[in-house]
Amino acid sequence: MDFTPTQEQAAARELAARIFGDLSTHERLAAAGTGSDAELWKALCEAGLVAAVEDIGLLGLVLLLEEQGRTTAQVPFAASCVYGLSAVSAHGSAEQQERLLPGIGDGTVVVSGALRGAAVREEGPGGLSGTVAVVPWLREATHVLVADDARRLWLVRTGEAECEPVELTAPWSAGRLTLDGTPAERLGDGAGNEEAYESRAYDDVLATARTAFAGLQAGVCAGSLARAVEHTNTREQFGRPLAAKQGVQLRAADAYMDTEAIRVTAYEAAWRRDEGLEYASHALTAAWWASEAGQRVVHTGQHLHGGMGADLDHPVHRHFLWGRQLDAYLGCGSELLQELGELIVNGEGEGEGKGAVEA
């Protein structure tokens, strides 16, 4: 395994860090409320960072999402890249790729996803009915990638569905999606063994999402910890910095190790997918670390700020909200462990190629 970024991945990460750092400031985030930052999204797309994901792979996307997480930037970057660009590139038909990818790359097409917990069924040819209680970034999306009860993937235009705003723990511009015979198009052309093809597509998109959002959590945790380190080094108590206290050092050290565990497991899962290796179990491992360790880290970041950490307007509180939202979105640790255990017991995901993207 070699997680060293390529020249293209490193350049994209550097550019993303500069754009997020310049535009995703505390003042702009406060002004955005729970909505998306349209100016920041435009800057990212004009810089070619969304379109670049097709070339820099899932590991490259994880690196970019780390930078987003550090600043808790309110843009649908992860959702549109995973459920849009990555899913259509890997599993869309040639016609869908030609029609959708340019728009996803320049930001005029924004895709969100509703895979797990989607009570959706096919009703008539090319129609879907059902409800998805929470879809992240639905209010910004032009399309939603929806999984039905048979794990088939469909693209739905939000303009043809009922979308109601929903407020989450974190400001993810989410919504409730209601379908009532809503027109939808199947993702891909179903070539070959249709059932097996659709199962692979669903499994791949889900594992990709878990890996990508784990990378986002790594950035959220790194940002929270960086704020805590800065605060404890400058805040004094009884004439000494808080960072000089052993209890503070131990909490910060534990948070650092948790953050590194999230990062390295996300890197491994992403690298394996890019290399065409089995990665389903690795994606679950990354998601488990992001869920379990992620909530520990953001709690630590808030606690090390003392009373300031309880201030809803303090920047560190935003990391806390994002960390808890990602914990819920990825799935609680016990659920992920159960799924991972079943995967191992059933012998699925073992051996090269299983769970990998097939050309």
Side-chain angles (χ1 to χ4, degrees):
M1 291 180 291
D2 183 6
F3 304 149
T4 304
T6 64
Q7 185 176 356
E8 292 78 10
Q9 289 170 339
R13 179 174 61 180
E14 182 179 346
L15 178 58
R18 185 163 64 249
I19 294 175
F20 284 127
D22 290 343
L23 295 181
S24 186
T25 63
H26 177 57
E27 294 73 22
R28 287 177 60 88
L29 289 169
T34 61
S36 180
D37 188 331
E39 183 180 345
L40 174 56
W41 179 243
K42 181 180 179 181
L44 291 168
C45 295
E46 289 182 345
L49 287 174
V50 177
V53 172
E54 195 172 358
D55 298 320
I56 62 178
L58 183 53
L59 180 56
L61 175 59
V62 166
L63 295 173
L64 301 186
L65 292 177
E66 273 194 87
E67 300 306 324
Q68 179 186 1
R70 290 180 200 276
T71 59
T72 59
Q74 291 175 201
V75 287
F77 196 87
S80 202
C81 286
V82 170
Y83 301 118
L85 191 140
S86 178
V88 174
S89 296
H91 307 290
S93 66
E95 187 277 331
Q96 288 172 333
Q97 292 172 2
E98 183 179 357
R99 171 164 48 92
L100 294 171
L101 290 179
I104 297 173
D106 65 24
T108 56
V109 174
V110 177
V111 186
S112 188
L115 268 63
R116 304 194 76 193
V120 174
R121 65 189 183 280
E122 184 179 8
E123 190 171 274
L128 295 180
S129 292
T131 301
V132 186
V134 176
V135 181
W137 304 106
L138 180 64
R139 283 176 265 168
E140 315 299 335
T142 59
H143 295 71
V144 183
L145 185 68
V146 179
D148 66 13
D149 53 3
R151 306 209 312 175
R152 295 171 296 193
L153 298 178
W154 303 77
L155 282 167
V156 176
R157 292 180 179 272
T158 54
E160 298 176 332
E162 182 182 345
C163 304
E164 304 172 71
V166 172
E167 297 301 338
L168 303 180
T169 300
W172 280 12
S173 196
R176 174 187 176 93
L177 180 69
T178 302
L179 307 172
D180 185 8
T182 305
E185 63 172 311
R186 292 270 286 275
L187 182 67
D189 52 19
N193 186 328
E194 189 171 345
E195 184 176 346
Y197 173 84
E198 288 167 341
S199 179
R200 287 197 304 271
Y202 175 89
D203 290 341
D204 175 55
V205 174
L206 178 59
T208 299
R210 282 169 165 161
T211 303
F213 280 92
L216 183 61
Q217 182 76 301
V220 170
C221 291
S224 175
L225 184 57
R227 291 188 183 278
V229 169
E230 180 183 8
H231 174 76
T232 55
N233 274 290
T234 55
R235 182 79 169 181
E236 291 190 356
Q237 188 178 63
F238 305 116
R240 298 179 62 198
L242 290 173
K245 298 181 179 297
Q246 188 178 47
V248 171
Q249 294 172 4
L250 292 174
R251 286 294 301 275
D254 286 342
Y256 174 80
M257 294 304 296
D258 274 338
T259 301
E260 288 300 295
I262 299 169
R263 176 182 289 117
V264 73
T265 51
Y267 282 7
E268 181 179 12
W271 175 83
R272 292 184 68 90
R273 182 186 190 275
D274 290 343
E275 293 295 314
L277 303 173
E278 179 279 319
Y279 73 107
S281 60
H282 301 81
L284 276 167
T285 302
W288 180 83
W289 273 106
S291 176
E292 285 285 293
Q295 56 90 12
R296 288 198 299 265
V297 174
V298 295
H299 272 275
T300 294
Q302 194 171 40
H303 289 168
L304 290 181
H305 278 77
M308 291 183 181
D311 183 354
L312 301 184
D313 295 323
H314 195 284
V316 77
H317 187 68
R318 190 172 288 109
H319 290 272
F320 174 79
L321 296 178
W322 275 67
R324 292 313 308 258
Q325 187 64 60
L326 282 164
D327 170 26
Y329 185 69
L330 289 163
C332 73
S334 58
E335 291 178 344
L336 293 167
L337 276 184
Q338 179 179 349
E339 189 175 344
L340 178 59
E342 291 172 352
L343 191 72
I344 294 172
V345 168
N346 294 331
E348 299 176 16
E350 294 181 359
E352 186 173 322
K354 289 189 177 181
V357 179
E358 296 187 10

